[in-house]
Amino acid sequence: MTLRISHAGRQRLKLLALIGLFIGPLIVAWSMVEWRVGIPNERVANGRLMPALPNLEEWPLSAPVPAVGTFDWVLAYDCEVDCLAVADRWWRLHRALGREAPRLTRVRFGGQADALPGEVLSQWRVRPAWSREDSLWLIDPEGRVVLSYRPHHEAEDVLEDLRHLLKMNPQPALATRE
């Protein structure tokens, strides 16, 4: 016994299949959002997002931060105790970036130790209320604080965040170093 479908029936089946092809993904996406099924819950950043902090230019520093390039990300950290070890830690992180290292500038606030290669020294005019001793901030090229890290945060986590941000924000092709 064979099932015979008329020409009009075949056309209706094709139309239903075409409608299903376009509506099916919408239904699946809606159900994923509605019931939170299949949506990753893991965090991307290891630091805390800090959109409320002022831009780097507005920080109460004794002098403006010099030598920050147009396309440079800034790793700023406060250092009061054992500055040489802290500066060395962030210098090693900077070197671990490899070919992306020129896109990062390190700025150290406080401490009496000399600057390491690629580091800019600055001092607080007055310590702001939002700054804690040994804090670390990751600042985008426009001077906005992107991430803040607790004191003594793992360098591997900061490196992971920094690599991700540099990958997601490629340097413009015609950008030149100053």
Side-chain angles (χ1 to χ4, degrees):
M1 181 169 168
T2 61
L3 180 63
R4 295 188 57 103
I5 300 175
S6 68
H7 177 69
R10 281 193 301 268
Q11 296 301 338
R12 285 188 190 115
L13 284 175
K14 287 179 185 178
L15 180 62
L16 287 175
L18 189 61
I19 290 172
L21 184 68
F22 289 107
I23 301 259
L26 292 174
I27 293 171
V28 170
W30 176 82
S31 62
M32 286 175 70
V33 168
E34 189 65 28
W35 293 304
R36 307 292 298 162
V37 175
I39 297 175
N41 289 328
E42 63 189 45
R43 290 182 1 183
V44 175
N46 294 300
R48 291 182 327 202
L49 295 174
M50 300 300 287
L53 290 184
N55 277 11
L56 181 59
E57 297 84 28
E58 299 169 10
W59 288 16
L61 302 174
S62 58
V65 176
V68 174
T70 309
F71 302 105
D72 285 359
W73 286 77
V74 177
L75 184 69
Y77 57 98
D78 191 355
C79 181
E80 293 297 325
V81 180
D82 199 18
C83 270
L84 192 56
V86 172
D88 182 63
R89 178 181 187 198
W90 300 126
W91 176 79
R92 290 176 188 277
L93 174 133
H94 194 171
R95 299 312 324 148
L97 287 174
R99 67 180 178 160
E100 296 289 346
R103 295 183 59 198
L104 180 71
T105 299
R106 292 183 333 278
V107 178
R108 182 177 76 202
F109 305 115
Q112 302 301 322
D114 291 336
L116 293 175
E119 186 174 54
V120 176
L121 297 179
S122 188
Q123 297 290 332
W124 294 115
R125 192 172 55 241
V126 60
R127 182 183 294 277
W130 45 263
S131 171
R132 294 188 319 259
E133 189 175 305
D134 295 329
S135 292
L136 176 73
W137 303 277
L138 190 55
I139 303 168
D140 73 2
E142 295 178 6
R144 296 178 300 226
V145 177
V146 177
L147 294 171
S148 174
Y149 296 91
R150 68 185 188 284
H152 311 294
H153 199 86
E154 292 296 322
E156 292 82 17
D157 292 341
V158 177
L159 181 62
E160 179 184 335
D161 288 348
L162 190 53
R163 281 185 173 151
H164 181 74
L165 286 169
L166 291 174
K167 180 181 175 185
M168 293 293 113
N169 298 284
Q171 188 171 8
L174 298 176
T176 57
R177 298 294 300 173
E178 293 150 15

